[in-house]
């Protein structure tokens, strides 16, 4: 299985947000941390918001915050939402086209079962299981680097 970069960055954002689940993260802050354009980040945030995984607020003190505790967010569900519309193989897609093996292919059922097993396995873990360590405040980081 290979996840899209869209999903990869979505997972990274959620892992970061899970490190401080009560804190709102600005899009500028997350874009800088992941070296990602704010436009691309906004698309990911929109999908996460539509899935009910994050809440977003505009204005001063706004930003993105987890909509539920990290322990209630299953990784398989996150990937299902972020990868929706991305077929594992072309013949799984809605615009599969003509397959010369249609009706004779025995691989399709095995791939569907493998994809299901992959996501089911990820459902055994939550965002809390993969949350990043909370970063020390910036002043503490400077102190750590200036130690003899």
């Amino acid at each position: 299985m290979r996840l899209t970069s869209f999903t990869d960055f979505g997972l990274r954002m959620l892992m970061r947000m899970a490190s401080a689940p009560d804190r709102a993260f600005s899009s500028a802050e997350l874009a800088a941390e992941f070296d990602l354009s704010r436009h691309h980040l906004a698309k990911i945030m929109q999908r996460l918001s539509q899935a009910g995984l994050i809440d977003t607020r505009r204005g001063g003190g706004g930003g993105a915050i987890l909509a539920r505790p990290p322990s209630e967010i299953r990784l398989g569900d996150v990937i299902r939402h972020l990868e929706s519309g991305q077929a594992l193989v072309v013949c799984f897609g809605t615009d599969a086209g003509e397959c010369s093996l249609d009706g004779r292919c025995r691989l399709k059922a095995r791939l569907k079962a493998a994809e299901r097993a992959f996501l089911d396995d990820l459902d055994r873990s939550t965002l809390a299981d993969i949350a990043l360590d909370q970063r020390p405040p910036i002043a503490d980081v400077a102190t750590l680097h200036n130690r003899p």
Side-chain angles (χ1 to χ4, degrees), residues 1 49 56 71 75 122 127 132 139:
M1 298 269 327
S49 178
T56 57
S71 61
L75 297 182
L122 287 169
L127 186 55
L132 298 177

Side-chain angles (χ1 to χ4, degrees), residues 122-148:
L122 287 169
D123 277 334
R124 291 188 285 183
S125 299
T126 68
L127 186 55
D129 297 326
I130 63 167
L132 298 177
D133 291 334
Q134 193 166 12
R135 288 184 166 185
I138 292 174
D140 292 346
V141 171
T143 303
L144 291 173
H145 289 293
N146 291 327
R147 288 189 178 166

Side-chain angles (χ1 to χ4, degrees), residues 23-27 29 55-65:
R23 179 175 171 255
F25 289 83
S26 73
S27 58
E29 175 184 11
D55 290 323
T56 57
R57 293 178 244 156
R58 292 179 170 247
I65 191 166

